[in-house]
Every structure is written in C-alpha cells, then in structure tokens.
Amino acid sequence: MARDPRYDVLFEPVRIGPVTAKNRFFQVPHCNGMGMSFPSTMAAMRRVKAEGGWAVVCTEETDIHPTGDMSPLVEGRLWDDRDIPVFARMNEGVHLHGALAGIELSHTGPRDACLYSREVPLAVGHTPVYAGNYPVQARAMDQSDIRAYRRWHRDAALRARRAGFDIVYIYCHGGSSLVGDFLSRKRNRRGDEYGGNLENRVRLLRETVADTKEAVGDACGIVLRYVVDEQIGPDGEPDMAESRAIVEMLAELPDAWDVNIREWRRDSMPSRFGPEGSQEDYISFVKKLTTRPVIGVGRFTSPDTMVSQIRRGIIDFIGAARPSIADPFLPRKIEEGRIDDIRECIGCNMCVTADFTMVPMRCTQNPTMGEEWRKDWHPEIIPERASNDGVLIVGAGPAGLECARALGQRSYDVTLAEARSVLGGRVHDESRLPGLSAWGRVRDYRVQQIGRMPNVQVYLDSKLGVDEILEYGFPKVVFATGGTWRRDGIGRWLSEPVPGLAEANVVGPEDVFSGKSLEGPVVIYDDDYYYMGGVLAEKLRRSGLDVTLVTPASDVSSWSQATLEQSWVEERLYEIGVSIVEKHSLAAASKGTVEIRHTVSDRRRTLPCASLLLVTMRLPNDDVYQTLVSDPDRLQAAGIKSVLRIGDCLAPSTIAAATYAGHRCARDMDAPPSDEVPFKRELIALA
Ligand code: ADP
Ligand code: SF4
C-alpha cells in the first residue's frame, strides 16, 4: 500500500548540522536496562528500530567518567576506548538500515553516588547525592575540576565519533546532569564566573556545547537536550522567563534542540494521568527562538497528531521512546499505509520499570522487546508453522489473544473460544477503570489483526468444559483462562484467612468490574501494591462512597513507583478524599467493622466497614485444565497431543507477562522440549 499523502511531511529529510536524517522519526535517548551490562541485547534492540524506519536511533544516557558513575543503574558507559566496541556494534546495525546513530553523553554529577567507581561525586556545590537517598555527599567543583570535566566530555565526544556515532548529545537536565545543576539558581550558589547571574550559570553549558562542536562538529550533529521548565524561581515555581532566556542565549549553538519537561513522571507521562502530546504547551516556545530543528516527545502514536505538531510549528522531529518500544516499525507502517497495523503504546510504563529493576526492558504491547538478540525474536517476522496441527485456545484475554495472533501469523489453524460475550479478558474489565482506557489497545490491536486472518476462528459465549474440549479433539490445546482474585485476605502479608470474614460483606475486584452496587463505607485491603487497589479506590470514591485504602506497604500503590505512577496515584487519591492507611495489615473482620494492625508495632485500630474489598492476589482458573490433564488416556483417545496453560492461568501476573506468555507459546509451538537455558546469554569475559 502507498502512504497517505497527508503524511508526506513526516518523511521529509531534515538536516542536523553536518548530517541529514532521512525522515522526521527520531528515537530519543531512553533507558532500557540493557546498556553496558547486556550490550548485544541493546545493539539488536536499536538495530530493529532502525529497520523499522526511525531516521535517528539514540543510546540511553551514557556516563563519560568514573566521577559520574551511574551504577547501580544499567546505562551506557564510555569511560575509555575499551567501551567503544559496545557502541560500534550498535552503530553497525543502525547504519545497516540507513539510520543515524546518536549518543547521549552525560555526566550526572550529584545525582548518582558512584557506588561502583567509589569516586567522590562532583557537583556545582557541596550536596547530598540525589538518587536513592544514599548517605553520600558530592563535593563542590573547583576551577580545575571544571577544566577536567570539559576535557572528559570532549574526549568522550571524540570516542563517540570513533565508535561511529553521527549525533552527539549534551545532556542538560537539572538534578540529572552537572551542567543542568550549574544553570539552576536554586542549586548554583557559586561566587566565581560559573555562578551568580544567568550568563555565568549558563557558562559551563555553553562551553560544553562549544567544546563538543569543536571536537566532532565537522562530522557529527550536536544536539542539546534541554528541560524547558526546570529553572525554578524564588517562589518554587518554574521561571519560564529564565528558561526562555537560556534558549535565546544558546539558540543557534547546537545543531538541534531536544526539549522535554521536568520530572521523569511528567516527561514519561503515564496514560492514566495525561494524554498524547501533553508537553506541547511547555515546549512550543522553543521553535520561535531558534532556526535549528526541534525534537519533542509526547507518546505520539497517531500520524495525524504528528502531522499537526509539525504543521503548527511545535516540533520538527517526532521524538519517541515508548512509541518506538511498543512498535519499532511505526514509521514503516505509516510509510506503507498500514496505519491499522500500528501497535500503539498504551502508556503503562512497564518499559520504564527496567530502569529500576536493572534487567532488559519489557513492553506490554510488544512481547519481542528485549528478546531481539537473546531469542532472535523479530517484532514483525515469525517462522512459518512447524506442523499442520490445529490449535484450540481457551480464553481470549491478553495471553489468549496474543497466542492466537502469533499462531495465526505462523499460519496455524487456530480456534479461539471465549466464555464471555466480549474479548479481552482482564483488559476488557480494567480498561473501563478510571484513566485506563488506553490499555484497551492491548485487546484492540490483537482483535484487529486476528480479524484479518482467515485461519483464526473466534467464538464468543463459548465457555468450554472438559467434555467439549475432548469432543472437539484439537491436537493442541492452550488454556489462557486467566485468574480470579482471592476473597480470604491471603496474599503477601497474610498466610491464613482473615478471622471473621464469614460475617463481613466481602467483595472482590470482579464485583466492581461487573458494576455490583456496594454499600459504604468501603475498606480496600491492598496487599497487591500495584495499580488495582488504587484505581478501584478512585472508582468507588468517584461514585460517592467513603473509601479507606489499607495497605501493609509504606506507600499506596507502592510498586507503581517503578512505572512513575505512584506519586500521581497518591496525589489523586488525596485530592478526591480517599483515606489512606499505610503500613497496616488486616487483623480481623466482622459485620460493619474491620480491625487493622500496624505492621511493625502491632498497634490495632477499628475502622467502620460496610464492604470489605480484598485486593491481595489471584489464583489461576485452571480447574478445566487440571481435570483434562488428569486423564492422559482420554486425551490420547480424543487425539489431543498437548495441553498447555499460559498467562494468568499458569501464574497470575502483569498484562505484560500475559502477552509475553501468549507470544512465547506461539513461537514455541511444536518445538521439542529442552532443559537448556531458554535464551542466549551475555557472559562476562574473565580479565
Ligand atoms: P490472561 O491475562 O492470562 O490473558 P484473562 O483473565 O485476561 O487472562 O483472560 C482469561 C479469559 O479466559 C477471560 O476472558 C475468561 O472469560 C476466559 N475463560 C475462562 N475460562 C474459560 C473457559 N472455560 N472457556 C472459555 N473461556 C474461558
Ligand atoms: Fe508503551 Fe507500556 Fe510498552 Fe512502555 S511498556 S512502550 S508504556 S505499551
């Protein structure tokens, strides 16, 4: 198919100093939990994006010197020439597909504690380090430190060029980079020519950009990444006049500006708390002050929104981290007029968690993410079927849908049977909770793809039991029948049912999904710690009920810190009047009250409770599976060769785990069983 001429503008080449990007799709730097620890994994992930049509593919933040050691974070590292081969490998793959390779050079100053290098962190002034509340202080840089920093940055730029990069970034982000902190009135209290008035505070940034340009600017485009609302005034509010003045002062110095907004939780805005393109109001001034191209992000997945941003003069490049993770082939799909094939990011930030968990990134929408090298998984290509066996999939949640889609793509004959009258399983239910509508894309993308596959038959209102499955006699049966929330309080904290539950009015998340009307006051006991407790509290409170959320964790929805949602959740629940009781477990229940207990001190209190909503853990819906596999003779007689269970039916987990399980099951269909480690590993070479 040809591309829609409306989108032609997205495919115009744009110059960045001495290099030219072939189109306007720009994969901005993003962390991935691969970096220096899993270099082949990282290189293959970036290569696939270049193959998918991104004109520029960048690294994550890359530390340039042991005094800016970001450990334990797993990021890029370019301390000396021995680090060059890692990036050379990435760049080879990126160049293979005609994309430009960019590196984000970064000295994070006092953000990180130099835990691996044990160097003393450097800063604009004496300060405790920012990340992780480590009991470590950074020291104030003197003039010789500043000279040394400039030398290191320049050397790193030269190394970057030798590694084959076409674009070199200067990372300026207050709280995450030395130069960013020098800009800041709040943090920079220096009395020398690097402190005081704005011209002085900008000096080090100006010098860094100029040094980099002088070192590699003949061959590489120099991009300045700048946070537009980070200059905080005396009132604690962003001083946009100063932010603007800085852009004016440096307007033509870099070859391009990559602009974004302060606080990672706002920059990588979860869809639950902000829409596509939510940075526009903040960044739109930049293009008016420079003739250099401007790169901006906003979880862009709609080509119409992208075109609108360009036509209205907001940005020149469609910057993307998450949209390029969910669909590395997004540009190619637009170019080839395959808009319906775009696997749109849902804004869940499961990818972001890799930065905190320090393992290769995963994506809810794209199960191949992070597996490009270690499993040879390609996001668009999958081997043809290995047998003519028909496959029955029971259950059309994210696991069953992805399994059906990928098996269908492999040209297996697939029958997908779903008990309900709707597809999507938990995604159907959860995407109707406050703020989670974008999560429905997990279902929509797959239903749309399956709908075009003549070899995949979908049956709704088809609750299958053992007899039906035996009668149909498909050679392969896959159970993706999901899980059910427990109603006895057992979970992380409690290993016995809560005493008195029989007298209490106990409900589960499924009751809320089905619209059952609850009596208030409601107590939600959240021993799950991810989004479910918080989002149900929001829903019930908005329906007018008194809601108290009790959790043994020290924060409400505490695991969602890793998805950058936690503080948003807490803010919202306080705003709408949900009472939050942290560090308490459930001790007992009775008609009309619950007793809760402090997790450390054993102090107890009683709360009024007409409905007790338990969000602790789920159990697999595996009865039919268990009965079926308990009788191998009947299976054999029915012609059934294998029975598998995947996703929540095996072990309830995240939606990302379910799509991964579905995809994996499809990839492994007909593969011989093996005790080998199921992926390639990157092993440390002994010195
Ligand atoms: P997962 O996250 O593992 O995909 P879900 O709970 O989202 O799991 O989806 C499971 C789906 O399986 C639900 O839509 C449910 O209605 C369906 N299901 C459960 N048991 C059966 C069954 N016996 N026959 C057909 N469908 C079933
Ligand atoms: Fe988007 Fe979620 Fe995938 Fe991240 S994990 S790219 S937010 S769908």
Side-chain angles (χ1 to χ4, degrees), residues 97-127:
H97 299 285
L100 300 175
I103 182 167
E104 184 179 52
L105 298 182
S106 167
H107 191 302
T108 56
R111 188 191 75 187
D112 298 303
C114 295
L115 293 176
Y116 165 59
S117 68
R118 300 182 72 175
E119 292 295 319
V120 175
L122 299 175
V124 61
H126 292 291
T127 176

Side-chain angles (χ1 to χ4, degrees), residues 272 433-434 524 526 528-541 547 549 556-557 560 569-570 572-573 576 578 615:
R272 188 171 161 193
L433 296 173
I524 300 179
D526 180 2
D528 169 65
Y529 309 162
Y530 192 16
Y531 56 89
M532 188 56 74
V535 78
L536 291 180
E538 181 177 347
K539 179 172 169 70
L540 295 176
R541 178 69 196 126
V547 178
L549 188 148
V556 59
S557 296
S560 62
V569 174
E570 188 166 331
R572 180 164 291 175
L573 294 188
I576 63 176
V578 171
V615 183

Side-chain angles (χ1 to χ4, degrees), residues 373-504:
W373 177 80
R374 63 178 206 172
K375 285 195 161 177
D376 286 320
W377 285 4
H378 189 281
E380 301 299 314
I381 303 167
I382 192 165
E384 270 289 293
R385 66 168 183 239
S387 79
N388 290 328
D389 289 344
V391 185
L392 170 67
I393 300 171
V394 190
L401 283 172
E402 173 60 18
C403 189
R405 189 207 62 77
L407 282 173
Q409 194 188 356
R410 293 191 66 187
S411 73
Y412 278 92
D413 283 326
V414 179
T415 300
L416 175 62
E418 166 54 50
R420 300 170 69 177
S421 54
V422 289
L423 297 171
R426 63 185 288 195
V427 168
H428 169 80
D429 298 321
E430 294 177 19
S431 64
R432 296 191 305 164
L433 296 173
L436 297 186
S437 63
W439 292 24
R441 292 171 173 183
V442 172
R443 168 202 55 215
D444 299 342
Y445 163 72
R446 292 171 173 84
V447 170
Q448 203 275 344
Q449 296 288 306
I450 288 169
R452 285 200 256 143
M453 295 175 173
N455 52 327
V456 180
Q457 311 302 323
V458 180
Y459 297 94
L460 291 172
D461 302 307
S462 304
K463 188 171 172 59
L464 302 191
V466 172
D467 294 341
E468 289 92 345
I469 295 169
L470 287 169
E471 186 190 321
Y472 299 153
F474 287 92
K476 308 270 165 62
V477 181
V478 178
F479 280 87
T481 44
T484 304
W485 290 93
R486 290 187 83 124
R487 307 267 174 133
D488 54 8
I490 289 177
R492 284 200 164 81
W493 198 261
L494 301 174
S495 49
E496 296 288 333
V498 178
L501 280 183
E503 289 113 72

Side-chain angles (χ1 to χ4, degrees), residues 273-455:
F273 299 99
E276 180 175 5
S278 64
Q279 303 202 5
E280 177 173 331
D281 290 347
Y282 297 90
I283 63 165
S284 56
F285 75 90
V286 178
K287 248 192 86 59
K288 300 189 177 79
L289 302 179
T290 175
T291 65
R292 304 300 199 202
V294 174
I295 306 143
V297 293
R299 197 162 33 79
F300 296 120
T301 56
S302 146
D304 293 308
T305 307
M306 297 173 194
V307 168
S308 153
Q309 292 266 326
I310 308 254
R311 294 255 184 250
R312 290 183 297 116
I314 311 298
I315 50 182
D316 300 289
F317 278 105
I318 305 302
R322 291 172 294 174
S324 76
I325 294 166
D327 197 339
F329 275 61
L330 186 143
R332 280 229 340 226
K333 289 176 182 174
I334 298 174
E335 186 161 30
E336 292 167 5
R338 297 193 290 128
I339 305 300
D340 285 350
D341 290 340
I342 296 173
R343 202 168 37 243
E344 287 184 288
C345 167
I346 70 166
C348 64
N349 283 2
M350 189 50 72
C351 48
V352 170
T353 66
D355 204 50
F356 300 94
T357 55
M358 295 164 230
V359 289
M361 166 169 76
R362 57 217 55 200
C363 169
T364 302
Q365 273 287 55
N366 174 11
T368 67
M369 177 44 61
E371 308 292 350
E372 300 86 349
W373 177 80
R374 63 178 206 172
K375 285 195 161 177
D376 286 320
W377 285 4
H378 189 281
E380 301 299 314
I381 303 167
I382 192 165
E384 270 289 293
R385 66 168 183 239
S387 79
N388 290 328
D389 289 344
V391 185
L392 170 67
I393 300 171
V394 190
L401 283 172
E402 173 60 18
C403 189
R405 189 207 62 77
L407 282 173
Q409 194 188 356
R410 293 191 66 187
S411 73
Y412 278 92
D413 283 326
V414 179
T415 300
L416 175 62
E418 166 54 50
R420 300 170 69 177
S421 54
V422 289
L423 297 171
R426 63 185 288 195
V427 168
H428 169 80
D429 298 321
E430 294 177 19
S431 64
R432 296 191 305 164
L433 296 173
L436 297 186
S437 63
W439 292 24
R441 292 171 173 183
V442 172
R443 168 202 55 215
D444 299 342
Y445 163 72
R446 292 171 173 84
V447 170
Q448 203 275 344
Q449 296 288 306
I450 288 169
R452 285 200 256 143
M453 295 175 173
N455 52 327

Side-chain angles (χ1 to χ4, degrees), residues 671-675:
S674 162
D675 283 341

